[in-house]
């Protein structure tokens, strides 16, 4: 049996958002989501089952972690150990090529890469849907990062499913990373609080299914405008629902609002550009690939923007050959 393996997974951005759980214990989502896997945001994870170690350890970008990420990683590793019928503890080393825990979905790529690498290191062979299900139990958005291109995770589903290849729609996602304020509330506790206290939560859940169907139909019809409109409606409904929670949950900052305005201005000047925000202040803008340089420059000039990353659609997560050292880009260039 091989005891060491590495895997690479791309992050993903939900065009139609997941926010709320149908089953907290099993981490099943209350609403369907639709995502785009991103080539430019990658996590590379190495797992080594070490007979001399008496605990699992987790290191990300050189820092040893503790707390929730470790608890979740250990639970995932326990699943793999039980499938492989081993007891051995693991040393996990992970590298993100983008800021960790900043609302740029590092847990999505992180747990997808961990599930793949841990299974490969333990000699467990699973179909992609079972890997996706394993990743989902750690963090639901990670279920989608197992696949490339455009991916769906239906409400209450065990696993995500790929919808269309990265090349299907000629788009780019422009990520405008803003200055980070005080540490944001994590998505798990944020969504549980929203679910418990927001008077708009039932309305959010009721609106999610039709929005998802609209976005999926627009995607399949290659209708960027319709897809972008559904995408904006989804993020705005999610943030409205969070704002009404008690205590109110507001991830949006001055720079977030300025970026939304800039996107609207670009649109009124004829550029098909659409925004979306997750559990952080950053703004991600969906555009056709031909417009990406122009939109990147416009977003970079907005006050409070620290960094702009242009990403094309990414490929599926995969195990790396033992000789591979560097985190090669895993998708279509923007
Ligand atoms: C706003 O997948 O991080 O990014 O399942 O509790 O780990 P857990 O939550 P997580 O939530 C992601 C929320 C989101 C929207 C999305 O990615 O669909």
């Amino acid at each position: 049996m091989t005891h060491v393996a590495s895997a690479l997974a791309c992050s993903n951005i939900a065009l139609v958002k997941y926010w709320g759980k149908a089953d907290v214990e099993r981490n099943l989502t209350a609403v369907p989501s639709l995502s785009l896997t991103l080539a430019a945001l990658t996590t590379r994870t190495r797992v080594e089952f070490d007979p001399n170690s008496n605990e699992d350890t987790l290191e990300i970008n050189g820092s040893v972690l503790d707390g929730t990420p470790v608890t979740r990683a250990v639970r995932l590793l326990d699943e793999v150990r039980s499938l492989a019928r081993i007891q051995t503890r693991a040393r996990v080393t992970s590298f993100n090529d983008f800021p960790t825990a900043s609302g740029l979905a590092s847990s999505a790529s992180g747990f997808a890469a961990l599930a793949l690498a841990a299974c490969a290191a333990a000699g467990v062979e699973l179909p992609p849907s079972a890997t996706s299900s394993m990743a989902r139990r750690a963090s639901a958005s990670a279920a989608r990062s197992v696949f490339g291109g455009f991916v769906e995770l239906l409400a209450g589903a065990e696993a995500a499913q790929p919808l269309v290849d990265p090349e299907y729609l000629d788009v780019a996602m422009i990520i405008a990373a803003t200055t980070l304020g005080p540490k944001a509330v994590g998505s798990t506790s944020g969504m549980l609080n929203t679910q418990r206290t927001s008077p708009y939560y039932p309305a959010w859940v009721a609106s999610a299914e039709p929005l998802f169907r609209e976005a999926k139909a627009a995607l399949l019809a290659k209708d960027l405008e319709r897809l972008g409109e559904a995408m904006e409606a989804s993020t705005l409904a999610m943030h409205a629902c969070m704002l009404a929670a008690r205590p109110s949950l507001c991830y949006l900052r001055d720079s977030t609002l300025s970026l939304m305005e800039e996107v609207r201005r670009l649109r009124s000047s004829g550029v098909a550009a659409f925004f979306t925000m997750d559990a952080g202040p950053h703004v991600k803008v969906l555009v056709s690939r031909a417009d990406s340089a122009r939109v990147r420059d416009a977003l970079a000039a907005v006050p409070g923007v620290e960094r702009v990353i242009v990403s094309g659609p990414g490929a599926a997560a995969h195990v790396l050959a033992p000789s591979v050292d560097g985190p090669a880009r895993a998708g279509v260039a923007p």
Side-chain angles (χ1 to χ4, degrees):
M1 182 179 99
T2 318
H3 299 286
V4 185
S6 296
L8 185 142
C10 298
S11 186
N12 73 80
I13 295 292
L15 310 183
V16 178
K17 306 295 184 191
Y18 144 56
W19 195 257
K21 295 178 194 288
D23 185 323
V24 176
E25 203 46 49
R26 296 167 64 203
N27 205 31
L28 297 171
T29 65
V31 292
S33 57
L34 193 164
S35 64
L36 173 61
T37 300
L38 297 176
L41 305 185
T42 65
T43 298
R44 185 167 45 95
T45 297
R46 178 181 186 273
V47 175
E48 179 176 5
F49 285 101
D50 178 3
N52 299 319
S53 182
N54 51 18
E55 62 171 358
D56 294 318
T57 58
L58 174 59
E59 195 184 296
I60 299 186
N61 288 11
S63 305
V64 178
L65 294 206
D66 51 22
T68 310
V70 179
T71 313
R72 289 185 185 195
V74 170
R75 217 182 298 143
L76 190 155
L77 290 165
D78 283 342
E79 271 191 56
V80 175
R81 277 189 282 261
S82 124
L83 290 168
R85 298 181 208 289
I86 57 170
Q87 310 282 326
T88 327
R89 302 291 117 181
R91 191 163 33 238
V92 178
T93 344
S94 200
F95 291 94
N96 291 327
D97 65 355
F98 57 95
T100 303
S102 59
L104 287 181
S106 56
S107 68
S109 48
F111 286 115
L114 178 62
L116 262 185
C119 286
V124 171
E125 279 183 35
L126 293 179
S129 66
T131 311
S132 171
S133 179
M134 183 181 278
R136 178 195 49 73
R137 286 188 280 278
S139 187
S141 53
R144 302 184 308 236
S145 269
V146 169
F147 301 104
F150 294 83
V151 181
E152 69 180 9
L153 176 62
L154 299 178
E158 286 288 335
Q161 301 179 72
L163 277 175
V164 286
D165 290 345
E167 297 79 14
Y168 187 79
L169 202 58
D170 203 12
V171 290
M173 193 62 89
I174 322 278
I175 297 135
T178 63
T179 317
L180 279 176
K183 192 174 162 28
V185 177
S187 38
T188 306
S189 63
M191 75 176 77
L192 290 176
N193 179 49
T194 306
Q195 191 161 352
R196 250 188 333 260
T197 66
S198 175
Y200 302 150
Y201 183 73
W204 154 250
V205 173
S207 68
E209 180 72 42
L211 261 179
F212 170 81
R213 266 189 265 116
E214 188 183 332
K216 183 170 169 178
L219 167 66
L220 296 178
K222 302 192 176 186
D223 185 339
L224 177 59
E225 303 258 338
R226 223 173 114 210
L227 175 62
E229 275 165 27
M231 181 180 96
E232 286 195 358
S234 174
T235 193
L236 291 170
M238 179 183 78
H239 284 278
C241 182
M242 294 173 183
L243 280 169
R246 299 181 73 168
S248 172
L249 191 54
C250 183
Y251 289 109
L252 316 178
R253 296 286 172 266
D254 291 3
S255 46
T256 317
L257 300 180
S258 305
L259 281 159
M260 288 161 65
E261 268 317 301
E262 181 57 26
V263 170
R264 291 189 175 118
R265 199 194 58 74
L266 283 162
R267 206 148 66 221
S268 61
S269 71
V271 182
F274 305 88
F275 58 74
T276 186
M277 293 79 63
D278 293 287
H282 316 298
V283 178
K284 297 101 183 190
V285 181
L286 181 69
V287 293
S288 74
R289 189 146 68 113
D291 289 328
S292 55
R294 176 176 173 188
V295 174
R296 179 200 59 210
D297 293 349
L299 300 182
V302 172
V305 172
E306 294 234 309
R307 186 173 162 199
V308 181
I309 303 166
V310 179
S311 181
H318 53 274
V319 174
L320 296 167
S323 59
V324 174
D325 264 333
R329 289 279 179 270
V332 182

